[in-house]
Amino acid sequence: FCIALLFPIRSFGVLIILVGVLLSGFQQFVGINVVLYYAPEIFKTMGAATDAALLQQIVVGAVNLSFTVLAIFTVDKFGRRPLMIIGALVMAVSMLILGTTFYTHSVGMGSLVCMLVYTAGFAMSWGLLGAAGRDLPELDSLHGDEYRRSGAMDRQLLGVMDLPDAG
């Protein structure tokens, strides 16, 4: 990567690589890990019982799965860029409202809705970036179908190599 910054390669520009790396980095900083991994603790802080907190965690997972599947079917129609912009705005607004509910000590159903909206916004936008891998063919319009097929083949091969041993 450092060599590419010093000596740009004509067929795969430094700007394209930089945008791809930055998008991947930003995806890690949006805070979804806190929502997904610490949701039961957050719900307990909001006053929910342990059983209710775990049930709400299941709801968060169902919303995540549903909106990821919805995004897979809509990304070709709308494009990744509009989905990412809208998703970032949805996540920002929902986190601002959630933070306000915590600040004013008025947590309740509104806080749960904010977390679900945040999760849905992530799954429809930034989450899809991770699901599609770091191979972003639309960033470089010079490559054709061969490039896209090779990226799909790379992901398939990586998926096969990541399978655990049966024995």
Side-chain angles (χ1 to χ4, degrees):
F1 179 72
C2 294
I3 294 172
L5 287 176
L6 296 174
F7 304 105
I9 300 170
R10 183 170 164 81
S11 68
F12 210 83
V14 175
L15 182 62
I16 294 168
I17 294 172
L18 187 63
V19 167
V21 168
L22 287 175
L23 284 175
S24 298
F26 290 146
Q27 181 193 20
Q28 297 302 312
F29 293 118
V30 296
I32 192 68
N33 292 335
V34 172
V35 173
L36 294 180
Y37 298 132
Y38 297 107
E41 293 299 321
I42 295 170
F43 293 136
K44 285 181 193 175
T45 303
M46 288 189 227
T50 303
D51 294 341
L54 293 175
L55 180 64
Q56 290 170 346
Q57 174 66 19
I58 293 171
V59 173
V60 169
V63 166
N64 190 11
L65 176 67
S66 302
F67 278 88
T68 299
V69 170
L70 181 66
I72 289 170
F73 290 118
T74 59
V75 70
D76 289 333
K77 183 177 181 181
F78 299 115
R80 190 172 286 154
R81 178 186 247 177
L83 285 179
M84 289 180 64
I85 292 171
I86 291 169
L89 291 173
V90 166
M91 290 189 300
V93 169
S94 64
M95 275 294 138
L96 283 172
I97 295 171
L98 182 63
T100 303
T101 62
F102 273 108
Y103 183 74
T104 60
H105 301 289
S106 59
V107 294
M109 190 58 75
S111 301
L112 173 63
V113 170
C114 285
M115 286 187 67
L116 294 177
V117 169
Y118 176 81
T119 304
F122 175 82
M124 284 235 17
S125 58
W126 291 87
L128 189 62
L129 174 68
R134 302 302 180 250
D135 188 22
L136 304 172
E138 63 269 5
L139 291 177
D140 189 3
S141 60
L142 297 176
H143 294 294
D145 289 335
E146 297 83 15
Y147 178 74
R148 289 180 186 86
R149 281 194 294 268
S150 71
M153 182 57 75
D154 290 344
R155 285 189 292 281
Q156 287 174 354
L157 289 175
L158 286 174
V160 170
M161 291 189 311
D162 287 342
L163 290 175
D165 292 335

